[in-house]
Amino acid sequence: MAWFAAPEYRLARELFLRLLALVYLCGFLAAARQFRALLGTRGLLPIPRFVARVPLRHAPSLFHWHYSDRLYAAVAWTGAALAAALLAGLADLVPLAAAMALWVLAWALYLSIVNVGQTWYAFGWESLLLEAGALAVFLGNAGTAPPVLGMWLLRWLLFRVEFGAGLIKWRGDACWRELTCLYHHHETQPMPGPLSWYFHHLPRPLHKAEAAANHFVQLVVPFGLFLPQPIASDAALLMVATQLWLIASGNFAWLNWLTVALALGALDTGTLRRVLPIAPDPHYPAAQPAWYQALVAAYTLLVLIRSWQPVRNLLSPRQQMNRSFDPLHLVNTYGAFGSVNRVRHEIVLEGTRDQDGAHGWQEYHFRGKPGEPRRLPRQFAPYHLRLDWLMWFAAISPAYARGWFLPLLARLLVNDPDTLRLLRRNPFPGAPPALVRARLYRYRFTTGPELRDTGAWWHRTPLRDYQRPVGLAELRHLAPGAPGARR
């Protein structure tokens, strides 16, 4: 079937698959480096307890058959090695069936991690990575022309990501309709980046222009993806530009990076040659096998059927953000920042060796979330610092911290090495503190004059205790390795 092939999207497919492999690599590396403290046998939310109460059919994962920290590490590092190989072009060096199997393996390994990740993996970009990863299985390799149905499925996913995000904003916080949300967003976003201070201090008319442009790109431009070329490519390029702006303005893990990858998948070769120095390729891929075309057609039908619930959610006035409608995360609904905080609250963890807690309190320093006022926020995306992100949610409401916050304090009381590796600085390297506490602060970006006078990027004001001082006697049952600890 000649119509089934779309050779004009070979470069677009390659760019999408290479960027997808890079995102997979970030995801697997984050899993390998952070799991022991968050999800391991002695972690804050241990996987063995989760799989004991949640059946396989609700959260498919190979860890339902067996879990050990060693097996989890093997899965994460195997996934990282596989992602690195795919990034280097391994899928183009093997037969089509083998290339599809490699992408299936990457998807299955990451699915096994996400489905037992609990609150640490309750982010929309996890489902987005899995949905994009499932689509990658059916896009072929260098030996075959891209399937036209597969390339359209990429556009359909990109449409849902952008249009869903646009709708949730328009229906949500009134400041989006008033074009004033960006007066606050750059300061109150989960994890500001090194340029966020400068974005926050842009003139307010420019903030309004940003918000208006966002509505246009997310609510109008996505429909251009379904129009003939070059309109579809122009629409995708507008989305790429918007996502690059977001990448520069903050840390949103790989959400923006993966959205860029999807948008690149909508660019035909002619458009890519307009924006990149690409020489003509005289080689043409071989014909697509009939079995491959059948699989692509079947998967396209499955996606269309499963799209019913995401579409219904998009049209609903009670639209939900970032929800999966099946445990395989094949077709999902997306959205971001339906509401914007007006003020920033931060939790600061402190410890002291003073048994009475009268003095000697020292602060624990996180890698990404705001802490010391004079420390410029760092760029971590597309890498994902999961504990730092959850600390932002916990500052909004203690409900977000239920189940893991007190265990976190307990691990600080015993200088748990896995937990301390998630932090940038432990003020008690020799021996653990006698007491720990959590203080809630109001943070705001300093003004230009304040920055020049003090060298501080943040100004913070103490508000109250978030958690009163506690010692090991009270949290012993939550501290790994301590007598009487919960198992």
Side-chain angles (χ1 to χ4, degrees):
M1 294 183 287
W3 66 269
F4 205 89
E8 66 275 19
Y9 290 98
R10 287 182 64 197
L11 291 174
R13 176 184 63 184
E14 182 174 354
L15 289 172
F16 166 73
L17 291 178
R18 296 300 176 94
L19 269 176
L20 175 64
L22 175 63
V23 172
Y24 260 137
L25 179 59
C26 291
F28 282 117
L29 285 176
R33 292 172 57 84
Q34 301 176 36
F35 85 94
R36 291 185 187 275
L38 303 181
L39 295 164
T41 303
R42 294 154 56 97
L44 300 177
L45 296 174
I47 289 174
R49 290 214 307 264
F50 175 79
V51 297
R53 69 176 187 269
V54 177
L56 173 66
R57 67 180 181 276
H58 291 159
S61 171
L62 63 86
F63 298 121
H64 275 279
W65 283 280
H66 173 71
Y67 178 79
S68 70
D69 288 354
R70 182 174 296 179
L71 176 60
Y72 191 107
V75 167
W77 286 114
T78 298
L82 175 58
L86 291 168
L87 178 60
L90 176 61
D92 291 332
L93 303 178
V94 298
L96 175 60
M100 296 177 71
L102 291 174
W103 286 108
V104 168
L105 179 60
W107 173 83
L109 291 176
Y110 201 70
L111 177 74
S112 288
I113 291 172
V114 169
N115 277 350
V116 296
Q118 303 165 77
T119 191
W120 308 111
Y121 280 77
F123 297 93
W125 50 75
E126 309 293 356
S127 294
L128 180 59
L129 177 53
L130 287 170
E131 183 171 350
L135 278 177
V137 175
F138 301 94
L139 295 182
N141 63 0
T144 57
V148 66
L149 295 179
M151 302 310 291
W152 277 104
L153 288 181
L154 284 183
R155 296 193 204 184
W156 173 229
L157 173 53
L158 177 60
F159 176 88
R160 283 183 283 119
V161 169
E162 291 281 14
F163 194 60
L167 283 178
I168 204 73
K169 292 181 178 70
W170 190 259
R171 290 169 170 157
D173 201 318
C175 69
W176 284 115
R177 297 185 294 277
E178 296 164 359
L179 306 182
T180 59
C181 273
L182 295 179
Y183 293 177
H184 318 283
H185 166 72
H186 297 301
E187 181 179 68
T188 63
Q189 62 182 299
M191 194 182 302
L195 298 179
S196 299
W197 185 94
Y198 300 96
F199 277 86
H200 176 69
H201 288 295
L202 290 173
R204 288 200 163 187
L206 186 52
H207 282 315
K208 285 198 168 189
E210 279 186 88
N214 179 87
H215 291 322
F216 176 71
V217 171
Q218 292 191 324
L219 292 173
V220 178
V221 171
F223 291 94
L225 294 171
F226 305 114
L227 297 177
Q229 297 289 7
I231 299 175
S233 288
D234 292 338
L237 287 174
L238 283 174
M239 294 178 184
V240 169
T242 302
Q243 295 301 318
L244 293 176
W245 182 270
L246 294 173
I247 287 170
S249 68
N251 284 287
F252 302 102
W254 53 77
L255 173 62
N256 310 120
W257 296 76
L258 196 45
T259 306
V260 167
L262 292 168
L264 293 177
L267 305 180
D268 63 357
T269 301
T271 300
L272 283 170
R273 288 198 180 117
R274 288 202 325 252
V275 297
L276 296 173
I278 299 172
D281 185 358
H283 302 290
Y284 292 91
Q288 298 166 333
W291 62 265
Y292 170 70
Q293 293 179 340
L295 286 176
V296 173
Y299 189 73
T300 301
L301 180 61
L302 174 65
V303 169
L304 292 177
I305 293 172
R306 288 197 172 275
S307 293
W308 162 244
Q309 287 178 299
V311 169
R312 195 168 84 173
N313 180 66
L314 282 175
L315 300 177
S316 170
R318 294 183 296 275
Q319 178 191 359
Q320 300 178 63
M321 289 193 303
N322 301 323
R323 180 181 171 187
S324 296
F325 295 96
D326 67 85
L328 299 180
H329 302 265
L330 295 179
V331 187
N332 314 290
T333 191
Y334 304 98
F337 294 104
S339 62
V340 171
N341 295 335
R342 302 320 194 255
V343 297
R344 181 179 199 94
H345 289 161
E346 284 290 342
I347 299 170
V348 174
L349 302 182
E350 298 175 335
T352 180
R353 290 201 176 100
D354 177 24
Q355 297 288 342
D356 296 327
H359 53 77
W361 289 99
Q362 297 186 67
E363 182 177 338
Y364 289 88
H365 299 310
F366 284 75
R367 296 185 184 277
K369 89 176 197 68
E372 313 97 295
R374 294 171 65 92
R375 184 170 185 255
L376 175 68
R378 302 303 197 262
Q379 184 68 38
F380 286 95
Y383 190 78
H384 186 17
L385 295 172
R386 300 184 184 281
L387 178 60
D388 294 63
W389 266 78
L390 263 293
M391 290 293 290
W392 178 78
F393 282 104
I396 295 174
S397 169
Y400 290 111
R402 189 174 296 123
W404 61 266
F405 192 77
L406 287 179
L408 172 63
L409 299 184
R411 281 151 178 78
L412 298 181
L413 287 166
V414 295
N415 268 2
D416 177 61
D418 293 327
T419 303
L420 293 176
R421 273 192 285 271
L422 299 181
L423 305 180
R424 188 175 65 85
R425 178 177 173 270
N426 170 25
F428 305 98
L435 299 172
V436 293
R437 69 181 182 184
R439 297 278 289 156
L440 191 67
Y441 283 78
R442 159 81 163 92
Y443 271 63
R444 65 167 175 81
F445 275 135
T446 55
T447 64
E450 286 174 327
L451 176 62
R452 289 190 295 273
D453 292 342
T454 67
W457 299 93
W458 295 100
H459 178 277
R460 67 183 186 182
T461 306
L463 298 177
R464 62 181 181 274
D465 276 348
Y466 185 89
Q467 170 61 51
R468 64 174 179 81
V470 289
L472 191 57
E474 295 175 84
L475 299 183
R476 186 179 303 276
H477 63 293
L478 299 176
R486 184 174 64 192
R487 297 184 182 276

